[in-house]
Amino acid sequence: MIYSSNTWGIAIATIINFLVGWLWFSALFGRTWAKLQGLDMNMPMDAKAKSQMMRSMFVNLITTALTAFVFFTLAENLLVAGSQIFCFALLAWLGFMVPISLGSVLWLKKPFKLFVIEGGQQIAALLISALVYSYFL
């Protein structure tokens, strides 16, 4: 069976990536990202919207954990070691995330700047996972 035995590493990478993602889409690029998405950050939220946001954040936490789990599992099972882990992270981003994310620019006519903001967060998450993985290696 293929799995990662690095439970602590996965948990730490998940928490750090979740917090970085929150910071990324709030303080760092939140206003620009929201504007490009057509969202109004100044609109007051009612109870239903707050509940929806909490559900979305919970699902995001789960998908962040899934990404860390898959990253650690692949790295472990492919015997990626040392500084190769950072190349592995970059290749995973280039091969899997960039083509999928670029589709929204090509087909949904989303602004390229939106792709850059979201892609930046994705590569940051993978590099953070690589850093945590290398620490627990």
Side-chain angles (χ1 to χ4, degrees):
M1 176 168 221
I2 296 177
Y3 68 95
S4 175
S5 60
N6 198 335
T7 307
W8 281 109
I10 293 168
I12 290 169
T14 297
I15 292 166
I16 293 171
N17 282 327
F18 184 79
L19 293 174
V20 168
W22 170 75
L23 184 66
W24 196 275
F25 290 107
S26 60
L28 295 177
F29 302 104
R31 293 214 181 274
T32 304
W33 177 81
K35 183 178 176 186
L36 292 169
Q37 289 282 33
L39 302 172
D40 183 5
M41 297 285 280
N42 297 320
M43 179 184 279
M45 293 178 66
D46 60 8
K48 183 178 178 181
K50 288 179 183 177
S51 175
Q52 174 72 31
M53 177 183 269
M54 293 307 293
R55 277 195 305 271
S56 295
M57 289 178 75
F58 176 74
V59 170
N60 182 251
L61 180 63
I62 299 301
T63 60
T64 300
L66 180 63
T67 300
F69 171 77
V70 170
F71 183 85
F72 275 64
T73 300
L74 288 174
E76 235 175 82
N77 286 279
L78 295 173
L79 304 175
V80 179
S83 63
Q84 291 177 335
I85 193 67
F86 297 101
C87 292
F88 178 73
L90 181 62
L91 289 173
W93 179 71
L94 282 171
F96 298 110
M97 294 180 168
V98 168
I100 292 168
S101 297
L102 205 51
S104 66
V105 174
L106 297 173
W107 304 109
L108 300 176
K109 305 298 183 213
K110 297 279 185 171
F112 185 76
K113 191 172 184 178
L114 186 63
F115 164 78
V116 171
I117 292 171
E118 292 175 348
Q121 187 274 332
Q122 292 167 347
I123 189 62
L126 289 177
L127 290 173
I128 289 167
S129 293
L131 186 63
V132 172
Y133 179 86
S134 68
Y135 178 78
F136 281 93
L137 197 60

